[in-house]
Amino acid sequence: MRILVLLITLLEALPGVAQSWFPEGATWQHEFSPVGATVGYTRMVADGDTILGGEQARVLRRVTMAASLSPPHAVDVTPRSPFIVHENGGLVRIWEAGRNAFTLLYDMNAVPGDQWTMALPNNWHVCDTASFVQVLDTGTIEVDEVPLHWLAVERHYILDGAEWFVQADTVIERMGYTTGYFVPHEACNAALDGDEGRDLRCYTDDVVSYKRIQAWSCESLLAVSEATAEQDAGLVPLGDGAYQAQLPAAKGSVQFTLFDASGRQLQERSVRDGDVIVIAQQGVGIYHFLDAQSQVIGRGRVVGW
């Protein structure tokens, strides 16, 4: 018996052996960009077990964090219904409320050419339930020296019986989709459920830490797309915590507001093009410029100031 236990331990340590999904405390952050002047992220955490459909499953608790870009810049924390998931032998399944059963979410054993119908954890859907995922390629990567299997896939969205659009993505073991939300139908359902999640930002557990965009803060309330888009206004670093406002001259005086990563307002003042702004705090900050009509003309972040 002691020899058998030793052999199992050695096999589990070998590269290429499938890694455990949903360890306690595993955390996902996805983009969250609801309709309106708010930005933020969705946090999902593996938190406890449950019995559903006669099977022991994991509970993924979810909450959305969003900050208003307009005064008074309130931060809204909204609990979302949890996902109930189960994994065995590389087959990841999720509870579908409409079917009252678990259905396939990811098949990590798939080979190029395989396909499966998209899982639909909620009762509502815009695209047809015939929408499907097709596998194009497979492989293995190492994250923190842990070998993780990946699938290159296409998500085919069907609407009224015809193919509406196709999204390419990569599924990574433990993490799920990397340039889409954890559950695929969300790309169609955004207009119905408030757009609960988009691209993966980060995934962490007790042995793996993954950032899809290395320079990005996992829990920043500013969306990656907002920070990387070209803006009419911004800050130019001068050193020693000083920044110069770079604004369209025609805008005249505008409002500058700085927040910390939790959405707490740190500074607010009126500035013109060329004005120097001194930011004394340490950490990661999110800022925006509002013109006289309270329209956002520039957003960005400052790091390590």
Side-chain angles (χ1 to χ4, degrees), residues 10-213:
L10 289 172
L11 285 171
E12 288 178 344
L14 288 174
V17 175
Q19 303 299 321
S20 172
W21 286 71
F22 315 122
E24 186 71 14
T27 301
W28 295 252
Q29 283 100 2
H30 288 84
E31 296 291 353
F32 174 56
S33 301
V35 177
T38 56
V39 290
Y41 63 93
T42 299
R43 180 195 291 124
M44 184 170 72
V45 180
D47 181 22
D49 297 325
T50 188
I51 301 295
L52 201 56
E55 297 190 65
Q56 184 167 338
R58 297 289 281 155
V59 180
L60 303 183
R61 303 194 187 279
R62 302 183 299 138
V63 62
T64 54
M65 306 280 293
S68 172
L69 293 176
S70 302
H73 312 297
V75 176
D76 180 55
V77 181
T78 305
R80 304 283 179 167
S81 58
F83 293 143
I84 309 300
V85 291
H86 176 274
E87 187 272 336
N88 184 39
L91 298 179
V92 181
R93 297 180 297 151
I94 191 166
W95 183 259
E96 280 196 2
R99 297 178 60 242
N100 203 35
F102 283 100
T103 194
L104 185 63
L105 180 61
Y106 307 118
D107 180 1
M108 301 309 296
N109 303 311
V111 298
D114 286 353
Q115 60 180 242
W116 62 84
T117 302
M118 285 185 193
L120 184 64
N122 301 311
N123 290 319
W124 58 84
H125 59 93
V126 174
C127 288
D128 298 356
T129 56
S131 299
F132 65 94
V133 178
Q134 182 157 11
V135 178
L136 305 179
D137 197 5
T138 68
T140 302
I141 62 169
E142 281 199 1
V143 179
D144 294 330
E145 299 183 351
V146 177
L148 299 174
H149 194 53
W150 57 262
L151 307 174
V153 301
E154 286 181 341
R155 292 188 296 269
H156 293 252
Y157 292 92
I158 310 300
L159 183 64
D160 296 331
E163 189 164 88
W164 184 21
F165 64 99
V166 178
Q167 288 181 329
D169 206 338
T170 301
V171 180
I172 300 179
E173 193 172 9
R174 293 192 183 213
M175 307 174 200
Y177 291 115
T178 54
T179 56
Y181 194 43
F182 189 76
V183 290
H185 262 284
E186 183 59 26
C188 284
N189 286 344
L192 291 181
D193 63 15
D195 200 358
E196 291 182 358
R198 296 189 182 183
D199 297 1
L200 178 69
R201 285 188 182 185
C202 306
Y203 169 84
T204 56
D205 59 33
D206 54 350
V207 295
V208 170
S209 179
Y210 172 84
K211 280 189 175 184
R212 186 175 59 86
I213 300 177

Side-chain angles (χ1 to χ4, degrees), residues 199-259:
D199 297 1
L200 178 69
R201 285 188 182 185
C202 306
Y203 169 84
T204 56
D205 59 33
D206 54 350
V207 295
V208 170
S209 179
Y210 172 84
K211 280 189 175 184
R212 186 175 59 86
I213 300 177
Q214 287 298 323
W216 192 247
S217 169
C218 299
E219 298 193 355
S220 169
L221 289 173
L222 184 66
V224 173
S225 58
E226 300 290 338
T228 56
E230 289 189 12
Q231 307 289 344
D232 291 331
L235 292 179
V236 178
L238 301 176
D240 297 325
Y243 294 81
Q244 186 174 53
Q246 192 172 64
L247 312 171
K251 288 292 183 181
S253 179
V254 302
Q255 177 184 294
F256 167 80
T257 309
L258 175 72
F259 311 88

